[in-house]
Amino acid sequence: QENQKIITINPNDEFAGLDMGRIYEDRGEFDKAIQEYQKVITRKTNKNSMASGGVDSGSLTLAYDALASLYTHSPKKNLGKALVFSKKVLSIEPKNPNKQYNLGSIYFLAFQYAQAEKHLNIAINLDPENHTFNSSLADLYQTTGKYDKALNIYHKILQLLEADENR
């Protein structure tokens, strides 16, 4: 209710729209969540298309991320749409290892293993000691029968864990 009032008073408050989308998701009202995230995107792209400074990545990235996640993990699962929104995030933040990982994970779920491997490797190159990124790539290799590569990564993860314990 409060967020709806804020948007009524200030329709350009994208963060209130994002909050409303998350609340709708929490309540299982996924169509309403999608609508709120889409409104944020529409407001941001319309507002920024009039300005010459380009698109502000803050709330726009969060809205794209939210839609990618919703289409990946909710009952509204649609990996094609998840890929579209995850790619939009990556177009704004290409050097963000978490965004590369997210796209790689969606490709993995969509059985597009070559693309998954590409983006997981980019994530690892950007953050080589991230256990989750490495583990996901090892899972991919195991799934695709590349057992030697999977074992090498699992050994790397063990070394990373040992180094963490010694810090």
Side-chain angles (χ1 to χ4, degrees):
Q1 286 285 17
E2 284 300 310
N3 282 340
Q4 189 61 52
K5 288 179 188 173
I6 292 168
I7 288 179
T8 303
I9 295 167
N10 182 2
N12 295 321
D13 188 339
E14 294 90 11
F15 291 101
L18 290 167
D19 290 340
M20 286 177 60
R22 284 191 278 279
I23 290 167
Y24 283 131
E25 276 193 74
D26 290 345
R27 291 171 50 174
E29 298 178 55
F30 299 108
D31 289 329
K32 288 182 180 180
I34 291 167
Q35 288 174 351
E36 291 303 325
Y37 297 139
Q38 289 286 7
K39 286 179 193 175
V40 171
I41 291 166
T42 300
R43 283 193 296 270
K44 289 304 289 182
T45 53
N46 287 344
K47 185 166 55 172
N48 286 310
S49 65
M50 293 180 223
S52 61
V55 175
D56 168 36
S57 64
S59 58
L60 187 61
T61 302
L62 293 171
Y64 287 147
D65 254 344
L67 285 166
S69 178
L70 188 148
Y71 284 122
T72 302
H73 303 292
S74 78
K76 299 296 279 185
K77 187 172 190 170
N78 180 325
L79 295 178
K81 287 183 179 183
L83 286 168
V84 167
F85 288 112
S86 190
K87 287 176 187 178
K88 287 180 185 254
V89 171
L90 211 54
S91 73
I92 298 169
E93 297 186 29
K95 300 267 189 231
N96 185 319
N98 293 309
K99 308 308 179 192
Q100 292 286 350
Y101 167 77
N102 290 344
L103 182 57
S105 296
I106 297 168
Y107 275 123
F108 183 84
L109 292 171
F111 305 104
Q112 295 182 33
Y113 297 131
Q115 286 295 319
E117 180 180 14
K118 173 186 168 185
H119 289 282
L120 292 173
N121 272 314
I122 292 170
I124 291 168
N125 286 334
L126 294 168
D127 187 359
E129 295 184 8
N130 187 299
H131 303 164
T132 302
F133 300 168
N134 281 284
S135 180
S136 292
L137 184 60
D139 290 345
L140 172 78
Y141 287 144
Q142 186 174 352
T143 298
T144 57
K146 298 176 183 175
Y147 301 114
D148 289 338
K149 286 186 172 188
L151 285 171
N152 286 336
I153 293 174
Y154 286 129
H155 287 298
K156 175 185 173 183
I157 292 168
L158 289 175
Q159 290 173 342
L160 291 171
L161 290 170
E162 288 174 8
D164 285 349
E165 287 178 8
N166 292 329
R167 286 185 192 166

